């Protein structure tokens, strides 16, 4: 009969991978928001010091940035040479039709330039210190949560589960489906006393630790609703006391779908 591991033997590669992706996404966004706030001074400077000038569209070419296998885009490029010798160049417009891009060549357009650098654009940037700071602070809030999920739920729990498995099966244990027998005096029994169900489930177990002291603690692992229901119905389960914590070592019969 097929079985699915519950607790320390369960493969958590997928959830670990997802937690890493989520943490990276939030951290990158967090950094970007604070960079955006720090950029407000520069935007304000450009707003106050940029000069409006008349540039010329000098050529067009194939736009590798926005084109794909189904769309061919063409971009027109403007150019302006200042009195102090700086050449300002940038993208002006993107066209689906090459002929439309070609017709723009030679046209005069209004752009803004920074006299102290080679920055130029069709529009002046806007700045809003309060909005940028508010957005940056808002994105600070989920960072401790995602770091907790990554460090504790992913990295730390995987390390602890591996240590518990080494205790039970020996230093040569690996995560294959070969049946391994627990080493003597490594496993014990615990009584499921409470189950808390949410998006994930938590299981509370009454057991005796390695020193024979009676304890009642929440398991550190997450469980699916099916796993929690199985453990609650079984009531007396196999656990592995380990220092000040424990690991659940159970297998749930898989449901065969025909």
């Amino acid at each position: 009969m097929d079985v699915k591991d519950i607790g320390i033997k369960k493969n958590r590669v997928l959830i670990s991978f997802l937690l890493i992706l989520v943490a990276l996404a939030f951290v990158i966004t967090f950094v970007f928001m604070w960079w955006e706030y720090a950029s407000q001074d520069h935007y304000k400077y450009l707003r106050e010091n940029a000069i409006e000038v008349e540039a010329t569209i000098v050529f067009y070419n194939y736009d590798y940035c926005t084109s794909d296998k189904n769309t061919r885009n063409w971009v027109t490029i403007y150019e302006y040479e200042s009195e102090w010798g700086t050449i300002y160049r940038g993208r002006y417009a993107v066209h689906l039709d090459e002929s439309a891009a070609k017709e723009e060549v030679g046209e005069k357009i209004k752009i803004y330039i920074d006299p102290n650098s080679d920055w130029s654009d069709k529009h002046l940037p806007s700045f809003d210190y309060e909005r940028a700071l508010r957005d940056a602070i808002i994105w600070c809030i989920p960072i401790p949560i995602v770091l907790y999920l990554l460090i504790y739920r992913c990295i730390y729990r995987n390390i602890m589960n591996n240590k518990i498995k080494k205790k039970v099966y020996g230093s040569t244990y690996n995560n294959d489906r070969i049946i391994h027998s627990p080493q003597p005096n490594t496993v014990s029994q615990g009584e499921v006393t409470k189950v808390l169900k949410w998006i994930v489930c938590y299981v509370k177990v009454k057991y005796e630790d390695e020193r024979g002291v009676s304890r009642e603690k929440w398991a550190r692992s997450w469980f699916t609703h099916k796993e929690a229901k199985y453990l609650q119905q079984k009531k007396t389960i196999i656990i592995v006391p380990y220092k000040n914590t424990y690991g659940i070592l159970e297998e749930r019969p898989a449901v065969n779908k025909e």
Side-chain angles (χ1 to χ4, degrees):
M1 179 176 62
D2 292 335
V3 294
K4 292 186 176 182
D5 293 320
I6 300 177
I8 61 173
K9 287 179 65 179
K10 184 174 181 179
N11 189 323
R12 289 179 172 81
V13 174
L14 178 59
I15 191 171
S16 295
F17 179 71
L18 291 176
L19 285 175
I20 291 172
L21 289 182
V22 170
L24 283 175
F26 274 94
V27 169
I28 290 172
T29 305
F30 163 79
V31 171
F32 173 79
M33 287 300 176
W34 280 103
W35 172 84
E36 183 70 12
Y37 172 69
S39 299
Q40 297 304 301
D41 285 340
H42 181 61
Y43 298 156
K44 180 181 179 182
Y45 161 81
L46 292 174
R47 193 82 186 181
E48 295 175 347
N49 296 279
I51 302 171
E52 184 182 276
V53 297
E54 188 177 76
T56 304
I57 297 177
V58 292
F59 66 94
Y60 72 95
N61 57 22
Y62 183 71
D63 186 16
Y64 292 95
C65 297
T66 61
S67 298
D68 55 38
K69 63 180 181 180
N70 298 317
T71 307
R72 293 179 64 85
N73 295 327
W74 303 87
V75 61
T76 51
I77 307 297
Y78 66 79
E79 187 175 287
Y80 172 78
E81 183 174 359
S82 66
E83 297 176 357
W84 49 91
T86 302
I87 295 177
Y88 297 87
R89 184 181 291 117
R91 295 158 58 96
Y92 181 67
V94 177
H95 299 276
L96 295 176
D97 188 354
E98 182 180 3
S99 61
K102 188 175 182 179
E103 288 177 2
E104 274 191 357
V105 175
E107 287 187 11
K108 302 293 184 180
I109 60 171
K110 298 292 185 181
I111 66 167
Y112 296 91
I113 64 171
D114 175 18
N116 298 312
S117 70
D118 61 354
W119 177 90
S120 67
D121 203 340
K122 296 181 295 182
H123 308 288
L124 284 174
S126 60
F127 66 95
D128 187 335
Y129 286 97
E130 292 184 1
R131 176 196 56 78
L133 180 59
R134 182 181 64 249
D135 291 345
I137 292 175
I138 289 173
W139 280 97
C140 286
I141 297 173
I143 293 300
I145 299 173
V146 297
L147 290 181
Y148 158 78
L149 293 175
L150 177 63
I151 296 172
Y152 182 76
R153 285 294 174 184
C154 178
I155 300 174
Y156 175 73
R157 289 314 308 169
N158 283 337
I159 292 174
M160 288 299 296
N161 286 344
N162 285 332
K163 288 184 177 180
I164 296 174
K165 284 183 286 189
K166 296 294 184 184
K167 172 189 174 182
V168 176
Y169 299 112
S171 59
T172 59
Y173 173 81
N174 52 44
N175 290 313
D176 54 32
R177 292 304 303 171
I178 298 174
I179 298 176
H180 297 266
S181 298
Q183 298 186 100
N185 303 319
T186 56
V187 299
S188 181
Q189 288 187 332
E191 178 187 352
V192 177
T193 58
K194 191 173 183 179
V195 171
L196 179 62
K197 296 181 179 180
W198 191 48
I199 299 174
V200 293
C201 299
Y202 296 86
V203 175
K204 198 172 190 179
V205 177
K206 186 177 181 180
Y207 69 102
E208 289 188 356
D209 64 15
E210 293 176 299
R211 295 175 294 179
V213 179
S214 180
R215 296 184 181 275
E216 187 174 356
K217 299 176 69 173
W218 291 98
R220 302 301 185 186
S221 296
W222 283 338
F223 301 93
T224 66
H225 285 252
K226 288 183 179 179
E227 292 171 343
K229 182 179 179 180
Y230 173 79
L231 295 174
Q232 190 174 32
Q233 291 177 342
K234 188 174 182 182
K235 192 70 173 180
T236 301
I237 62 174
I238 300 172
I239 67 165
V240 184
Y242 184 80
K243 297 183 179 180
N244 64 340
T245 185
Y246 65 92
I248 291 178
L249 188 63
E250 280 289 342
E251 292 178 337
R252 177 176 64 87
V255 178
N256 295 321
K257 296 182 180 181
E258 297 182 357

